[in-house]
Each structure stands twice: as structure tokens, then as C-alpha cells.
Amino acid sequence: MSSEDDRKGPVDMIATIKPSRRSFLLGTSALTVTGVAMGFSAVLPGIGVAMAAEPGVFVWGLPEEPDTLDAQRTALAVSVPILNNLGASLLYRDLEGNRVPGLATSWTVSDDGTTFDFMLREDVTFQDGTAFNAAALVSTFDRGLDPATGAPVFGGMLGPIASWEATGDFAFRIVLSEPYGPLLDNFAARGSSWLQPLSAAAIAASGTDYGRSPVGAGPWQFVSWASGQEIVLERNPDFNWGPEFLANTGPVHLERLVMRIVPDDASRVAALEAGELDYAPIPGTAYQRFADNPSFTVLRSMRKGTGLVIHFNFEHAPLDDLKVRQAMHLALNREAIVAIAVDGQGEPGYGPLPPSLPYYWPGVEEIGYGYDPARAGALLDEAGWTMGGDGIRTNEGARLAFNILTLPSSDIQRAAQLVQQQYREVGIDLTLDTRDIADINPLLFGHNFELSFMFWMDHDADILYREFHSNQIDGGVNWGSYRDPDLDALLEAGRTATDQAERAAIYQEVQQMFIEKALWIPIYNVYELYALNNRVEGAIVHPDGYLILNDATTP
Amino acid sequence: MARFILNRLLLGVLTLLGVSVLVFGLVHIVPGDPVQIMLGDRASADQVEQMREQLGLNDPLIEQYGRFVGDALSGDLGTSIRTGQPVLTELLERAPSTLTLAAFALVIAIAFGVVAGIAAAVARNPLVRVPVQAVILLGMATPSFWIGILLILFFSSTLRWFPVMDDGSLRATVLPAIALALPAGTYLARLIRTGMLEVLGEAYVRTARAKGASGRIVLFRHALRNALLPVVTVLGMQFGALLTGAAVIETVFSRPGIGRYAIQAINARDFPQIQGTVLFVAAIFLLVNLLVDISYGWIDPRVRGQAGLST
């Protein structure tokens, strides 16, 4: 089928029209299209009826469609807001970041940090009428940790879990094989929806269709899912509690929650402006437009993870040289990169953790690397790399040139080109090697690369264990093969400590070490932007970056 | 005629078989291990092996292909890795949206093509001819998704005549159909214009004029009917182009169709979804072209005689 070839066939109109008439032509084409559309609109009934939002309905725009609403089987971040509304968590984090009771009214951790006891609420039922109790949690864990379920996230969030049991009707115990600090935070974080208790009866009743007819214990219950179009939830009238930091601890005020799937950025912006969506993510380019619009509030929160970092392969000389790595930090003008790559919707990165993660230590902004190309040059000189005739440094015949793996997405490409240009100014020749993720992964896991751009999303500082502990070189994601017993010890201590203050102290030391040893180059951390229609009252934006609708109304 | 249809049908089946080989080969041609790609970074070697076994990727190729074709013939296009749903079910859910859009767009394309094509061929007044030719030129040169966004901004955001997002109504199909119809419509317009200019220079048109037939009769009875013949031929192809174009238009207009499904499938590297979609769309395309071939044989008796496999 060669419709392209066919089009080359007949007469060409181009010859008959002079290019100077271009502006005139644009005008006529718009007019003609207008005429056609008017014709259609005249035929259809109900002209001029704006699709006004209904009272009691909240329409939420999603950029993509969830794979499944089975909390244990979904792998996509887009499922999280739906599951958060559908289900409930053992713990929550209040607006100040403290852990507060949810389905668990209290919890204790044994002195050795391996046994966790949760006391549960006794007045909660799932939306199918099944009672919530310790047995429900046991069956939830049985299923989530059964390899046959193929849960992509569940097990990882529980760390070294060894056993789980009901120690009473409303008492649940988790035993770990070694201490794991992130556990309680994982039950309280935004992503806790992956761990939410599920009704075994509902799963048995709907079988393989469970992911299309989920049941939770939360304030909203599932109504329908029209593929590619929308997912509808309605108020759960039996919901009679809520985390204590919310005013409303009964059923939500809104009637219906409609999640519309709108993949195209421009269409999502238009749908917001037309009042068809109440709330949706917007691109950085639309930030100012919504900020200036009195009908909207723009919600900006930093993503739980980085926008972009550069990963070193420490086994590739001269990347094993501290001075070279330091120079590569100092040569980057991060402000300029943020302005162009993400339209200013980000902050320069200084340490290994973004400010949006717990245990971020603000001191990195003091001791982190700024933009200082002169010092970068001096460090490279000291390391023996002197400027060559072509503007690229050399050392005993070797050129200071690297190949960097990069993904084809437009923000990363823009950033990559700026990095390339800024490196060239200090005499480093960077070749951008753009590949699909499927091509990049084998190279990274095979430690077969020099430099790589990458970004990550997570909710705990323990991410650094996976990226830098020496036991993660084989099979893990310590792609750069970094080995340092001191860092290993700190990362182990960080993941086994359960006390928040103790973990903070450990991760402060980790962040200092990353900067001293110039272990990876944080370039920027990005904001997630949402526009909220001001007709909605009482919606709360959690500092963790999600919207809470328990108190919301749409008059 | 029966023999002609049978021949065409046979050709269609052969083509579909060819498509099935390509679609099947897809999994084996792509760089990297598709199973590793599907399962992602955190998958263990055991999980990968289990998935390979589950998908039957360890069996001999010919056996795998046989199973693939057998399953497809019995209506089983596999199960999506991403959603766990049968691919055929997912496709059938989305097919009505795409087919409605494509059919609507085809009607608009034909209407636009005929009117603009005739106007461009016969209008002497430059105030008519130049704008028409300009629209045809721009329609050819402008990507339909851009037109789509302009239509949304003007008719949905500003005038509020149509919804921005699809709500399943006919009203919501108008703008995407116009955007989708534009490339096909302008192509048909050029084809008709050429045909008209050719036919209007023919001796029999001059004869008709000499006999005193009115301009209208000459135009519609003699010229247009002949100029339309090649249009019927390309309609099938154009329908294929519409199905392809739907991928972009469905994304812009948030329509839950097959085109967007294909994009999702490719982004998620969901091989059963990708294979199923290609096979499904190829089957629709072949069916439409079969219908066009048959109708063409009906319209032009000369075609029936030369309906062998060589055509």
C-alpha cells in the first residue's frame, strides 16, 4: 500500500501558486475550514451548548491509560491516583510529613527493627461488603508475594520480608529477615496504593477481570471503565473514616470522579480551558498561561525522583580520576539547561537526592558543584589533560572524548545538546549516542558504556543502595561498577535503620560523600505541573504531590 | 463475476498470510530480547525464562508460527501482557470508534474532493479557483494533527460548538473527521481535477457540446462520471490511509480507537497487542479493498475479464 507514491501521480498545484501569497492562503484555508464546520454544526442538534461541568462531578485528566486497576499487578504510575482514591493505606503522611494512623490505628517496631506489629481499625469494610481485618491483610500479602501473581512492585516495597501473620482478628505482624528502614514510609507514601489491602472475595468473584472491576476500602468505589476513554468512580456512602489531618472523616462530598484519558498535551490544555476537565497535568510551556488565568490554580510539586543525571562508568578511564569527574560537574551551567530543556520548570540538582525525597539534606546546595568552567579547566590541567589544537584536551595522545547514552525524548535531547556544548567549551568532546531504551538496557546491565544520561523515580533514599552498593554490580543497577566499602557500609546502615533521625544522619553523610567523590552528576530535578479549575473548593494538595478530594466540593 | 470474486478472495487470503509471517517475525527481528524488554529491569532470570516458556518462545520457529496462525484463525490473537485482556476483545471494543471516524472522514473526503476538484478544474473566476487550489495545496502540505489542534482551539475552546474530548457522540466525531479527511480529500480533489481536465478535452465531450448539450449536462453526465472511475480505484487505498492517520487524530482528539491502541501497544512493547493490531487492521484493509475491487468490477465490465492472479 503506497498511498505516498500515489500522491505523486497527478497534476501538481504548486506551480500555479506563488510563494508570496502564503499569508493570504493561510487565511482562506482557515475560512473554508470554518465554513465546513459551520455546515456540520448546523446539521447537529443543540448548537452552542457548552459542555459545562456538572455539580458534584470532578473530571480528572490522565495523560495515559492504566494497564490494570489490580493494585498488585499494575506497573504504571498513572494507576496510583486512581488506586489511592479507590483504596486505603495502613498509614498516611500528614501535611507536615509525619506518619499518622490510617487503616492501622497504631504500630510498634521491635528493638532489633525486624518485627512490625500493626493494630487495625475494626469498623472498615471493603466496597463489596467484605470486612477488613488481619485475615484480609494476610490474604493480600499471600497474593502480592506469590510469584504467580507477578506483582511488579509489591515485593520490592517490603524489602527483606520473611513472614506475615494475623496475631489477632485486628492485629497484623510482619517479620523481616533483617532491618529495613523504608518499610513504614512505604506504607505511608503516595505509592502505598500498591500495598493496599484487597478483598479476597472480590478477587475470587471476578477472576481474571478483577483488574477491570477493582474493589477497595477507600472513599471512592469503582463504577465503569470505557477502554481508552474514561474510568468512573462514585462516592462510597459507607466510608466512615479518614486520616486525622482531613476535616471530613465521613463519605466524600462529591458524587462522581471521572478519570478522562487525554494523551495529547495540547488537547488536555484545551479541555481544561473549555471547562471539560477540572484537573489535569499540563506541560511546562503552558505554565504561564494557566498561572495568568484567574479561573485556575496551578499546582507545582517536585517530582519524587530526578529529571536528569549523568551516570559514570567508573571502570572506563579517565572516569576513575576524581579530578576529571569534578571538572565534569563544574563545567555544567545547570540554570541554562533547566531554562531550555524543561522550560524553566525544574531546579538545578546538586546532590544525589532531589529535595522532594525524605532525607534530602539541604546542605548539598552549599557544598555541591556550581558552574565554574575556569576551575573545571584548571582541574583538567592538573589531571594531565591539556588543551589540544582542535579545542579538545589530550593526555599522552589520548583525547578527552566520551560517548554518552541518551534517550530520544525531547527534554533529554535538549539537555544533552546543551551538555555537549558546555563540555566542548572546557575541551571535552561528547558524542551523543541516542538509542531506544530497549537498546540501552543491555549496554547498561553489561557495564558496556562510558557515560549515560538517566533519570529515576522513587520515594526513598534507599534508591542509592540499588545504584551504588557493590553487591548491585551483578544483576543490579550499579551499572557504573562502583566499589567503595565505606559507601557500602553507609548504604547498609541507611536501609536497616528504622528511626527517622538516625536515617537522616546516615543519608546526610551519604550525600556529602557523593559530592566529595563526585559520584554522579545531578543536572536537574523537575516539577510536575497540574492545573486545577477554581470551581473546585476544598481540594488539598499533599506535599507528596497528590490531590486529596475528601474535603472537596464542586458547586 | 463469481470467479472474479473468488480470485480476489484468494489473493486476499494469500496477502493476509504474508502479513501474518511479517507480524510473527516481528518478535524475532527486533533488537534485544523481547521478553526482557517486556518484563523490564527488575525481572529475574527465572521470570524471563518462565515468560519465554509461557509464550512458547523456546519451541521451534515453525511450530510457533503454526500455533500463531491456528490461534488467529480461531479468533485468538493472544493476551495482552500489559492489561491481561484478550487482544481481540480489546480491538473489538475500539473498532467501532475508529471505523465510525474513518467512514465519516471518507464521506467528507469524497464530498470535498468532488466539489473542490470540479471547482479547480472548471472555475474561470480566479476568486473561486485560486482559493480552492490554495486549500487543496495547503491540505496536502499540512499535517492533520496540526489542523486538528487548530480546529479544537477554534471550534471547541473558543466557540464551544464541539467537545474537546470524545464523548462517543456524533458531534464529537465532526472535528476529528474533518482533520482526518483533509489529506485524503485534497488528494481526491487533485485526482478529480486532473480527470476532469483530461475528459473535458476529449472528442466525445466536444461532440456532446456540438449536439447542444448544456454545460451542466456535459459536466456531470459526461465528464464527472468518467473522472470518477479512478477515484473509486483509490478509495480502498485511501481508506487504508485513513486508518493509519487515525492513530494521530485519535491521540489529539482523545478518541478510544485502534490507532491510539496501536501507539499505546508500541510504547509499552506489548507484542501480542502489536501483532494483533497489525493483523486486524490488515484484515480490514484487505476487506475494504476487496469490496472496492468487486464494486469496480461492477461499474466497469472490462475489469471482470482480466481478473486473474496476475492483476
Side-chain angles (χ1 to χ4, degrees):
Chain A
M1 50 181 260
S2 55
S3 54
E4 286 303 316
D5 292 344
D6 292 342
R7 287 184 198 177
K8 287 176 195 149
V11 183
D12 237 80
M13 296 272 156
I14 298 165
T16 62
I17 291 167
K18 291 179 197 148
S20 62
R21 292 191 192 166
R22 195 168 285 159
S23 56
F24 161 72
L25 300 179
L26 273 169
T28 52
S29 107
L31 279 179
T32 312
V33 173
T34 312
V36 173
M38 277 178 183
F40 271 110
S41 140
V43 175
L44 298 168
I47 309 300
V49 180
M51 273 53 64
E54 296 167 57
V57 178
F58 186 90
V59 189
W60 183 323
L62 300 176
E64 59 174 327
E65 186 170 20
D67 44 0
T68 166
L69 289 180
D70 181 337
Q72 295 182 344
R73 287 207 167 110
T74 180
L76 298 181
V78 72
S79 309
V80 169
I82 308 174
L83 292 169
N84 272 339
N85 283 296
L86 202 63
S89 283
L90 287 184
L91 277 58
Y92 287 93
R93 258 207 293 262
D94 67 14
L95 302 178
E96 280 78 48
N98 307 307
R99 294 175 200 138
V100 295
L103 287 170
T105 51
S106 65
W107 53 93
T108 54
V109 185
S110 66
D111 290 341
D112 66 355
T114 58
T115 305
F116 293 72
D117 281 300
F118 299 90
M119 297 306 293
L120 307 177
R121 289 189 78 99
E122 303 185 8
D123 56 349
V124 177
T125 52
F126 290 101
Q127 290 142 8
D128 65 340
T130 311
F132 164 75
N133 51 29
L137 271 177
V138 170
S139 71
T140 299
F141 275 57
D142 286 347
R143 180 174 182 264
L145 292 164
D146 180 352
T149 307
V153 183
F154 195 89
M157 290 181 79
L158 296 172
I161 187 167
S163 66
W164 54 96
E165 61 178 319
T167 48
D169 284 352
F170 294 96
F172 180 68
R173 172 175 289 171
I174 293 174
V175 180
L176 306 178
S177 58
E178 56 178 329
Y180 180 61
L183 188 76
L184 286 177
D185 283 326
N186 284 352
F187 277 114
R190 177 190 192 181
S192 64
S193 56
W194 269 299
L195 294 176
Q196 67 179 264
L198 302 178
S199 159
I203 293 169
S206 40
T208 53
D209 283 336
Y210 176 73
R212 307 278 295 190
S213 52
V215 168
W220 295 92
Q221 57 194 16
F222 179 82
V223 177
S224 64
W225 180 349
S227 294
Q229 200 161 10
E230 65 182 19
I231 292 166
V232 180
L233 308 182
E234 67 180 4
R235 165 173 48 196
N236 172 8
D238 301 325
F239 186 80
N240 58 356
W241 62 283
E244 63 197 21
F245 61 92
L246 299 177
N248 176 15
T249 53
V252 291
H253 305 306
L254 295 167
E255 301 278 334
R256 259 189 319 143
L257 183 53
V258 179
M259 309 278 197
R260 293 294 314 254
I261 299 142
V262 190
D264 187 66
D265 278 348
S267 311
R268 222 178 308 116
V269 166
L272 278 163
E273 289 180 337
E276 291 178 42
L277 290 176
D278 289 312
Y279 175 74
I282 55 170
T285 44
Y287 173 75
Q288 206 51 50
R289 184 168 162 170
F290 280 96
D292 294 344
N293 187 334
S295 304
F296 289 92
T297 305
V298 179
L299 313 172
R300 203 165 84 142
S301 61
M302 188 164 278
R303 187 158 81 186
K304 310 262 133 191
T306 64
L308 200 63
V309 297
I310 293 177
H311 213 77
F312 295 113
N313 185 345
F314 294 93
E315 295 194 332
H316 180 84
L319 295 175
D320 50 354
D321 185 335
L322 175 64
K323 284 182 177 152
V324 171
R325 292 201 304 272
Q326 285 176 326
M328 290 174 78
H329 279 73
L330 290 163
L332 293 182
N333 181 349
R334 293 168 172 80
E335 276 87 2
I337 298 173
V338 168
I340 290 172
V342 291
D343 303 301
Q345 297 305 321
E347 298 291 343
Y350 293 101
L353 296 174
S356 52
L357 245 63
Y359 311 119
Y360 169 76
W361 175 58
V364 294
E365 288 158 38
E366 302 295 322
I367 65 165
Y369 298 88
Y371 177 48
D372 192 345
R375 212 179 124 220
L379 279 167
L380 290 172
D381 284 334
E382 281 174 39
W385 295 91
T386 50
M387 199 58 105
D390 61 348
I392 300 301
R393 291 172 187 269
T394 57
N395 186 1
E396 292 170 5
R399 288 176 91 240
L400 192 53
F402 301 105
N403 184 72
I404 187 162
L405 296 176
T406 171
L407 287 163
S409 76
S410 61
D411 51 339
I412 295 183
Q413 281 298 307
R414 277 178 292 193
Q417 284 163 23
L418 286 170
V419 170
Q420 185 181 39
Q421 185 193 327
Q422 292 172 4
Y423 275 172
R424 201 176 166 86
E425 281 163 19
V426 297
I428 302 170
D429 185 14
L430 198 65
T431 304
L432 305 184
D433 186 357
T434 304
R435 293 164 184 255
D436 197 70
I437 186 75
D439 284 347
I440 285 184
N441 271 344
L443 297 176
L444 291 175
F445 281 97
H447 310 289
N448 184 16
F449 71 103
E450 296 171 7
L451 293 169
S452 178
F453 282 111
M454 52 167 273
F455 64 93
W456 54 266
M457 286 171 81
D458 209 308
H459 49 88
D460 194 273
D462 191 48
I463 171 83
L464 299 177
Y465 179 91
R466 296 182 44 221
E467 301 276 358
F468 281 90
H469 195 287
S470 59
N471 70 13
Q472 299 292 310
I473 295 174
D474 280 330
V477 293
N478 185 351
W479 297 315
S481 306
Y482 187 69
R483 291 164 212 274
D484 177 354
D486 294 342
L487 183 60
D488 283 358
L490 277 175
L491 292 173
E492 284 163 24
R495 74 169 1 207
T496 49
T498 44
D499 181 69
Q500 282 183 315
E502 192 187 343
R503 293 194 78 199
I506 294 166
Y507 284 114
Q508 176 183 331
E509 215 175 315
V510 169
Q511 289 167 79
Q512 284 168 318
M513 188 181 278
F514 264 77
I515 290 169
E516 274 162 32
K517 300 193 172 170
L519 294 185
W520 69 4
I521 309 180
I523 299 179
Y524 55 75
N525 302 309
V526 286
Y527 288 114
E528 288 173 337
L529 299 173
Y530 287 83
L532 175 67
N533 193 314
N534 287 338
R535 88 183 180 102
V536 181
E537 291 167 9
I540 296 173
V541 185
H542 195 281
D544 282 358
Y546 63 93
L547 194 70
I548 302 174
L549 292 173
N550 296 43
D551 294 334
T553 53
T554 54
Chain B
M1 193 65 196
R3 208 192 127 151
F4 170 75
I5 294 174
L6 202 69
N7 263 323
R8 285 283 151 186
L9 215 55
L10 201 67
L11 209 63
V13 169
L14 282 177
T15 314
L16 209 53
L17 214 60
V19 172
S20 76
V21 172
L22 287 179
V23 165
F24 170 76
L26 191 73
V27 180
H28 302 272
I29 295 164
V30 289
D33 179 357
V35 175
Q36 186 75 54
I37 297 168
M38 286 187 265
L39 292 177
D41 304 357
R42 302 197 191 189
S44 68
D46 281 354
Q47 280 173 303
V48 171
E49 191 50 39
Q50 198 188 336
M51 178 69 103
R52 292 192 70 84
E53 198 59 46
Q54 198 184 326
L55 292 175
L57 290 174
N58 293 334
D59 302 337
L61 271 188
I62 190 76
E63 198 180 314
Q64 289 184 45
Y65 178 69
R67 196 166 47 225
F68 176 71
V69 172
D71 286 351
L73 283 178
S74 61
D76 178 3
L77 292 178
T79 304
S80 160
I81 294 172
R82 203 173 98 96
T83 65
Q85 298 275 304
V87 172
L88 188 66
T89 311
E90 293 189 323
L91 284 168
L92 291 176
E93 260 174 17
R94 289 165 171 83
S97 172
T98 302
L99 293 178
T100 311
L101 176 65
F104 210 164
L106 196 64
V107 171
I108 296 175
I110 294 171
F112 174 86
V114 169
V115 173
I118 293 175
V122 301
R124 297 225 171 75
N125 184 348
L127 283 178
V128 176
R129 201 186 64 229
V130 172
V132 167
Q133 292 190 339
V135 170
I136 294 175
L137 178 70
L138 277 164
M140 261 159 41
T142 316
S144 52
F145 69 88
W146 189 71
I147 294 282
I149 290 170
L150 284 190
L151 291 176
I152 288 180
L153 287 181
F154 191 65
F155 293 105
S156 303
S157 287
T158 310
L159 295 178
R160 305 276 171 94
W161 288 356
F162 302 98
V164 176
M165 304 181 298
D166 177 57
D167 55 7
S169 69
L170 200 60
R171 175 196 282 274
T173 309
V174 174
L175 294 185
I178 291 173
L180 182 58
L182 214 59
T186 50
Y187 173 58
L188 292 179
R190 285 197 308 159
L191 205 63
I192 289 170
R193 175 181 179 268
T194 320
M196 292 289 284
L197 288 177
E198 228 166 71
V199 174
L200 286 172
E202 292 280 339
Y204 66 84
V205 169
R206 203 169 54 231
T207 310
R209 283 224 174 91
K211 285 192 329 191
S214 75
R216 189 171 297 241
I217 288 189
V218 169
L219 198 61
F220 289 101
R221 185 175 297 170
H222 297 278
L224 184 61
R225 275 178 72 173
N226 281 296
L228 278 182
L229 270 179
V231 172
V232 177
T233 321
V234 300
L235 274 187
M237 288 293 182
Q238 285 303 311
F239 192 77
L242 290 179
L243 287 178
T244 320
V248 177
I249 291 297
E250 284 171 354
T251 303
V252 171
F253 287 90
S254 323
R255 293 180 64 87
I258 291 177
R260 217 178 94 206
Y261 179 73
I263 290 181
Q264 256 181 22
I266 291 165
N267 284 342
R269 291 159 214 290
D270 193 321
F271 283 95
Q273 281 188 343
I274 299 171
Q275 290 177 318
T277 310
V278 174
L279 212 54
F280 189 79
V281 172
I284 292 180
F285 182 69
L286 284 170
L287 189 71
V288 168
N289 275 282
L290 182 71
L291 293 176
V292 167
D293 281 352
I294 293 170
S295 72
Y296 197 64
W298 208 275
I299 295 167
D300 188 349
R302 283 170 298 178
V303 177
R304 270 172 256 162
Q306 43 177 306
L309 279 174
S310 59
T311 51

